[in-house]
Amino acid sequence: MSPFRTKRRWQKGTYMQLATERFRTFVYTKEDMDAYKNGRPIDPRKVTQRSLARRADVSQTMISLLASGGRTGCKPETAERIAEALGVDVTVLFDPKEATSTIKLAA
């Protein structure tokens, strides 16, 4: 278990806003794979989207959407699972925000 694992109580209606650039420092993106195919070295500290999805028990599509910027937020529980799988505090990757009616949340 990650030393950063904390069971926080988030206020009802809170969602977690992803800091996309910070997230991309932990996960391989399409740009990383294209660079690898062109002969450039890749960062061995990053994890694949598939392995992160398995470790965090979320869909690979969800991780892909977060990495590409297609989705910018998720529920606090999902954010905590992703952060724990990466071994970082949830606030490194996500900023808590108050939900509005126009934001679509992922599971």
Side-chain angles (χ1 to χ4, degrees):
M1 182 180 285
S2 169
F4 298 108
R5 180 67 175 169
T6 58
K7 290 284 187 182
R8 295 186 180 155
R9 297 245 182 224
W10 301 101
Q11 185 176 10
K12 185 175 175 113
T14 299
Y15 78 100
M16 304 303 279
Q17 179 75 38
L18 177 70
T20 305
E21 289 306 314
R22 286 184 265 165
F23 186 67
R24 289 179 181 172
T25 63
F26 293 96
V27 179
Y28 287 119
T29 61
K30 182 179 182 324
E31 292 79 21
D32 293 324
M33 293 295 103
D34 290 342
Y36 176 72
K37 289 176 185 176
N38 290 326
R40 287 190 231 130
I42 56 175
D43 188 350
R45 296 172 292 181
K46 289 186 174 185
V47 298
T48 63
Q49 294 177 14
R50 179 177 292 166
S51 67
L52 177 58
R54 287 181 184 155
R55 286 193 269 173
D57 195 28
V58 298
S59 72
Q60 185 176 349
T61 302
M62 173 67 171
I63 299 298
S64 176
L65 286 171
L66 289 171
S68 69
R71 179 167 298 276
T72 59
C74 61
K75 293 180 180 178
E77 299 81 17
T78 305
E80 288 176 347
R81 288 198 315 260
I82 292 169
E84 181 182 4
L86 290 172
V88 297
D89 187 58
V90 69
T91 58
V92 171
L93 300 172
F94 296 91
D95 300 316
K97 301 286 182 181
E98 189 173 318
T100 64
S101 61
T102 60
I103 296 173
K104 294 182 181 177
L105 299 179

